[in-house]
Amino acid sequence: MSASITTAYLARYRSLTASAGSADLLPLTGAQRRFLLARRLDPQGRPDVVPLFFAFPRGTVDPTRLRRAATRVAGRHPALHGTFASVRGTPVLRLGAPTAEVREVLVPPGGTAEDAIRRELLAWPADGPALRLLLARGAAEEELLAVALDHAACDEQSLGMVTADLARAYREDSFDDFDDADPRAAENAYREAVELQLAAEAAASSAGAHAHWAARLGSLTGAGTAQPVKAEAPDATGMLSERLPAAVRAARGAVFPALLDAVSAAARSLFGAHRALALGYPWGGRPPAAPQVLGCFLNTLVHPAVAGPTDLDELSSAWWEDLDHADTPFDEVVHAARSAGARWSGALDGLLTFEDLHRRPPLELGGTVGRETHLAGRPLAAPFAVSASHGDDLLVRLAWDRSRYTETAALAAFEHLLHTLQRHLGPAPQALRRQ
């Protein structure tokens, strides 16, 4: 095989940083480079944003105190006080002063805090800080806080680090009390983690990995371009949600394979069973022995949605084999699939994200724990997306592009999803709750 994409990037980065005055330039992981490429290809140049939403009793949050806390958090993590840039054609993170945006969002008369926050996130400019906190106070008894991060600077593990640090900095609210990491040590730890991630990606771009993904995805066709439908809100997304019982004991290990099968059933309901569909899901963590720094250390893996009912044991076995090659960069996976004859552009037909809430502490401000909530209406990176959060229960949400699918089609897809989960994990509730 020729040099991998990761190896070529590292060669360019090392050539760039061999010159003087480049100590503030850090390399990017494969996921970070993909997010930046997607941003450049977006007609509006919008970055991919990861928001968490917390409702607090009205008057709980002190914006001034929150701003101090957010700035302290940004100062602890190089991924939050850098700027993503392209220097001589090479994507890098340029370190700078720690900044974070904390702003109160105006709620117009008759409007809601949810609508105000949603509008702000849709208009998120790419040239601001990676960490932004938006607070909206409507007519309700609660105020809504959005903790939003540029996805190029965070992953699931990072969300827990941010909420924990933010709660602590807000509680202590003192430059003397908050234990700051040494800036140079933090930068070195971050650089080490990214370089270990890049080494893992380079090693996973092997002939064996190429053969695995070629065999696994060689039949993909993708759904093609869906024709727009007449929709009530053509630029918005809809959302359906349901809370299921938490999986316990042995069933916990079956949750993610069951979700893969359930999302495949939803995809077949939306697209039909005559195509081999590509479902993407983020996966990954810090490489072994890497410092546990905040950043974006994930990859987008691809699962082929096949027609007909699936034996969960067989699906789980195939999934575990995929995880053996989880570090293979997405672009290398697409190349492998196309070399095996896949008529697939690399576009994803659906997305699945899964979060174990036991890994993320709640956000507590001023002695009050925020009630986490979810907002529909944000742009999707695929025609539909399923999000699952596993804590005291299993919260499953299906979001869909209203310009592509009617609510009737989305309801049918969600029913297929829930029925599949019922088959694998146990009974599902009867009613669907809409958002």
Side-chain angles (χ1 to χ4, degrees), residues 137-428:
R137 296 182 169 115
E141 293 300 314
E142 290 184 320
E143 56 194 15
L144 184 64
L145 175 66
V147 180
L149 294 104
D150 189 325
H151 206 338
C154 81
D155 52 21
E156 179 196 348
Q157 186 172 329
S158 297
L159 295 177
M161 299 171 72
V162 168
T163 55
D165 278 0
L166 191 61
R168 182 184 173 201
Y170 189 93
R171 180 177 63 251
E172 297 177 353
D173 193 32
S174 168
F175 278 76
D176 296 326
D177 294 339
F178 196 74
D179 181 22
D180 276 323
D182 175 67
R184 184 58 61 187
E187 292 168 12
N188 289 339
Y190 181 80
R191 183 191 298 273
E192 178 186 355
V194 172
E195 289 181 346
L196 285 171
Q197 175 70 19
L198 290 170
E201 292 175 10
S205 302
S206 63
H210 187 279
H212 169 82
W213 290 114
R216 188 84 164 101
L217 307 177
S219 63
L220 286 181
T221 59
T225 303
Q227 294 299 317
V229 298
K230 186 176 181 180
E232 297 176 1
D235 295 325
T237 59
M239 182 183 290
L240 297 165
S241 68
E242 191 57 79
R243 290 187 181 275
L244 309 177
V248 296
R249 294 186 292 276
R252 290 185 65 87
V255 170
F256 197 83
L259 283 166
L260 283 175
D261 198 26
V263 177
S264 297
R268 291 193 296 272
S269 176
L270 291 171
F271 296 115
H274 60 290
R275 291 179 178 274
L277 303 169
L279 304 179
Y281 60 95
W283 198 267
R286 306 323 179 249
Q292 297 303 299
V293 298
L294 184 148
C296 187
F297 299 86
L298 53 80
N299 193 16
T300 299
L301 273 66
V302 182
H303 175 75
V306 297
T310 303
D311 179 84
L312 195 60
D313 288 338
E314 293 180 3
L315 188 152
S316 297
S317 178
W319 173 60
W320 278 108
E321 290 182 8
D322 288 346
L323 295 188
D324 288 338
H325 304 280
D327 289 323
T328 308
F330 182 83
D331 291 341
E332 299 281 3
V333 171
V334 175
H335 174 66
R338 292 178 63 84
S339 70
R343 299 189 305 278
W344 175 48
S345 68
L348 296 172
D349 302 308
L351 289 169
L352 168 63
T353 59
F354 177 77
E355 182 180 15
D356 185 347
L357 295 179
H358 296 100
R359 298 178 59 183
R360 175 158 58 83
L363 179 61
E364 179 181 330
L365 300 178
T368 301
V369 175
R371 175 178 59 83
E372 187 167 358
T373 185
H374 304 277
L375 268 65
R378 299 189 295 114
L380 300 175
F384 83 103
V386 173
S387 302
S389 303
H390 197 200
D392 295 334
D393 54 24
L394 179 63
L395 173 61
V396 182
R397 306 183 303 280
L398 183 147
W400 77 95
D401 185 341
R402 289 188 182 274
S403 71
R404 290 174 178 251
Y405 305 110
T406 63
E407 185 164 331
T408 299
L411 277 166
F414 199 43
E415 288 174 355
H416 280 86
L417 185 148
L418 290 180
H419 291 161
T420 304
L421 287 177
Q422 177 183 16
R423 177 160 55 89
H424 293 315
L425 300 178

Side-chain angles (χ1 to χ4, degrees), residues 56-72 100-106 132-137 143-146 166 169-170 173 365-366:
F56 289 91
R58 190 178 178 88
T60 297
V61 181
D62 179 346
T64 301
R65 186 174 179 180
L66 185 65
R67 185 173 295 106
R68 289 196 295 265
T71 302
R72 298 304 306 282
E101 179 180 347
V102 177
R103 182 162 49 89
E104 293 189 71
V105 176
L106 177 66
R132 308 181 203 189
L133 285 74
L134 306 174
L135 180 66
R137 296 182 169 115
E143 56 194 15
L144 184 64
L145 175 66
L166 191 61
Y170 189 93
D173 193 32
L365 300 178

